[in-house]
Amino acid sequence: MSNPATINMAIADAYTTAEAIELVSRAGVKKGNMRLDKAFLSAVSAGCLLSFAAAASLSANTAPWFQANAPGLIRMISALIFPIGLVMIVLAGADLFTGTNLYTAVAVLHGRLSIWKMLVHWFICFWGNLAGSLFVTAIICGYGGIFDHSPYRDQAIATAIEKQVSPQFHQIFLRAVGCNWLVCLGCCLGMQGKELISKIAGIWWPTFASATLGLDHVVANMFFIPLGIWLQTPGLSVGMYIWKGIIPATLGNMVGGAVFCAGFYHWMFLSEEPENPR
């Protein structure tokens, strides 16, 4: 295998997996060393973009006949729309908490970034994503009245119940592990592409799989659950969301992204390479 630190620009179609993980490591160094104000604003942007995609996916899922007769089919159709969010975020260079679980973790494992800088970037991204998500939830969708009337209101409430009220703590945690495992894989595959269509395809399919399975993405849930609270979903409160939503989803996403994806690919392709500060 060639040294992944040497990127072969002559190959026209795509980078190898080893080369892509090297690029992920370099991206993690850049993200981890961003100015805090820029990191926060970038994260706010990512929260907004993912919320727009979540809203579009929720609208597509609003199909009462399909929900009653072909729930798997309408979930798949809705899931085909959801990856728009991650595509916009990656191509626009915005910072998503779940994505940085991959990028900065690989950079830390590669010896290029300190654990402290990684954790600071995670912290800034989390709160920036939350701010952006709440802005779209309250201002655009809430006061904008997008989900005020049936059947859209009914579907938004049903989604909040399905994602937050019904499942147990450990179920949300385990779903979140699987979710960010797939989402971060999408980031890796997107990094392999050398042109726009390849990047979009690489990002799309793992994210589609995650959404089809109904896995839990902490930032996407920053739209779905607060919208449910806004619409006065029975049995749903801010306290429940924090304890049984944010905490297990955040921890699960961190494990899925930093361990199952970053840890695995670093071990496979970068662990035997010398540390490189580039």
Side-chain angles (χ1 to χ4, degrees):
M1 182 185 73
S2 61
N3 187 338
T6 304
I7 306 300
N8 186 356
M9 302 299 291
I11 300 176
D13 53 354
Y15 295 112
T16 65
T17 305
E19 290 172 337
I21 302 306
E22 164 66 24
L23 292 173
V24 166
S25 176
R26 296 183 187 183
V29 174
K30 184 176 180 180
K31 289 178 180 295
N33 287 293
M34 285 180 69
R35 274 175 34 188
L36 297 186
D37 60 324
K38 288 191 173 184
F40 180 77
L41 290 175
S42 179
V44 170
S45 172
C48 291
L49 294 176
L50 195 66
S51 291
F52 283 128
S57 176
L58 183 59
S59 294
N61 206 32
T62 305
W65 186 91
F66 280 96
Q67 291 291 353
N69 296 279
L73 178 60
I74 194 60
R75 175 186 273 189
M76 184 188 73
I77 294 171
S78 175
L80 280 169
I81 295 171
F82 182 75
I84 292 171
L86 188 61
V87 168
M88 291 190 294
I89 288 166
V90 171
L91 297 185
D95 282 277
L96 190 66
F97 169 77
T98 49
T100 197
N101 293 160
L102 165 73
Y103 296 113
T104 56
V106 171
V108 167
L109 292 171
H110 206 186
R112 294 173 166 179
L113 186 71
S114 70
I115 294 177
W116 171 249
K117 285 188 174 181
M118 177 188 76
L119 294 177
V120 168
H121 195 257
W122 287 13
F123 181 84
I124 295 296
C125 284
F126 181 90
W127 291 107
N129 290 165
L130 180 61
S133 298
L134 292 180
F135 175 81
V136 172
T137 301
I139 306 302
I140 306 299
C141 294
Y143 287 115
I146 294 175
F147 294 95
D148 277 1
H149 304 292
S150 295
Y152 300 100
R153 177 188 179 91
D154 298 336
Q155 184 58 46
I157 290 174
T159 298
I161 292 173
E162 180 183 1
K163 283 192 163 291
Q164 186 62 82
V165 179
S166 299
Q168 299 179 36
F169 186 101
H170 73 279
Q171 292 175 318
I172 294 175
F173 171 79
L174 294 172
R175 294 175 190 179
V177 172
C179 174
N180 211 30
W181 187 350
L182 288 168
V183 167
C184 288
L185 175 60
C187 293
C188 290
L189 296 181
M191 192 69 81
Q192 284 190 257
K194 290 188 176 182
E195 38 76 34
L196 198 62
I197 301 301
S198 296
K199 286 182 176 293
I200 292 172
I203 296 166
W204 204 281
W205 297 114
T207 312
F208 162 70
S210 174
T212 300
L213 293 171
L215 303 179
D216 281 288
H217 189 278
V218 67
V219 184
N221 285 356
M222 289 175 183
F223 171 81
F224 291 123
I225 311 307
L227 179 64
I229 295 172
W230 181 279
L231 297 174
Q232 301 179 335
T233 299
L236 180 59
S237 66
V238 174
M240 172 185 282
Y241 172 46
I242 293 172
W243 164 244
K244 210 179 78 171
I246 288 179
I247 292 175
T250 301
L251 294 175
N253 284 168
M254 289 165 58
V255 171
V259 178
F260 283 82
C261 202
F264 174 78
Y265 285 107
H266 172 268
W267 177 260
M268 293 297 294
F269 298 105
L270 296 180
S271 60
E272 296 180 1
E273 300 297 333
E275 294 181 3
N276 191 330
R278 287 185 297 170

